[in-house]
Amino acid sequence: MRRKSIILKKLLTIVLLTLATLNIAFSNPVLAADIANGAKVFSVQCAGCHINGGNIIRRGKTLKQKALKKYGMDSIEAVTSIVTNGKNNMSAYKDRLTTQEIEDVSAYVLEQAEKDWR
């Protein structure tokens, strides 16, 4: 009986770890985004002000990793929100881009920030 209990606990642990891994994989919106499309959207809609992750309007508010963290813009939700709704000098794009395009460009921005825009 003790042996069955140990085997059952190990099996349960494996199942829980597998489910946790799948949950991470399926709940991450960046995985659902099309980074290549995000790059296209960025080049047409964003690069005018944010070339190479910079900011020609407000120098400190760049798309570089350090600035994104400093201003709380280092999550897919935060970037998607500001692209959608705008803020201060940043225009809203909810009327110009689809939800998918906003998700794609947001994922692209975060990926490029991780790569230091290289």
Side-chain angles (χ1 to χ4, degrees):
M1 186 68 169
R2 181 163 158 68
R3 182 165 162 62
K4 284 183 182 178
S5 177
I6 292 171
I7 292 172
L8 187 57
K9 285 181 184 177
K10 286 182 180 181
L11 182 59
L12 183 58
T13 301
I14 291 169
V15 168
L16 290 174
L17 288 173
T18 302
L19 289 174
T21 303
L22 289 174
N23 186 40
I24 290 168
F26 290 117
S27 67
N28 188 344
V30 175
L31 295 176
D34 180 345
I35 300 295
N37 187 52
K40 290 177 191 173
V41 172
F42 186 89
S43 70
V44 172
Q45 301 291 335
C46 313
C49 293
H50 294 289
I51 191 156
N52 297 320
N55 187 331
I56 66 167
I57 307 296
R58 296 191 63 193
R59 283 184 272 162
K61 299 261 181 144
T62 70
L63 303 179
K64 308 284 180 156
Q65 189 81 29
K66 185 176 179 181
L68 292 176
K69 285 183 189 263
K70 178 179 180 180
Y71 296 108
M73 289 290 154
D74 57 340
S75 70
I76 193 74
E77 295 82 11
V79 177
T80 299
S81 177
I82 199 166
V83 172
T84 302
N85 303 306
K87 185 175 178 182
N88 300 326
N89 293 336
M90 170 75 183
S91 300
Y93 284 81
K94 63 185 170 195
D95 295 332
R96 297 181 225 176
L97 300 174
T98 67
T99 301
Q100 186 63 53
E101 289 171 325
I102 291 171
E103 289 175 15
D104 293 348
V105 76
S106 298
Y108 172 77
V109 165
L110 291 175
E111 181 180 271
Q112 287 302 113
E114 287 178 19
K115 296 178 180 179
D116 200 28
W117 290 87
R118 293 184 190 156

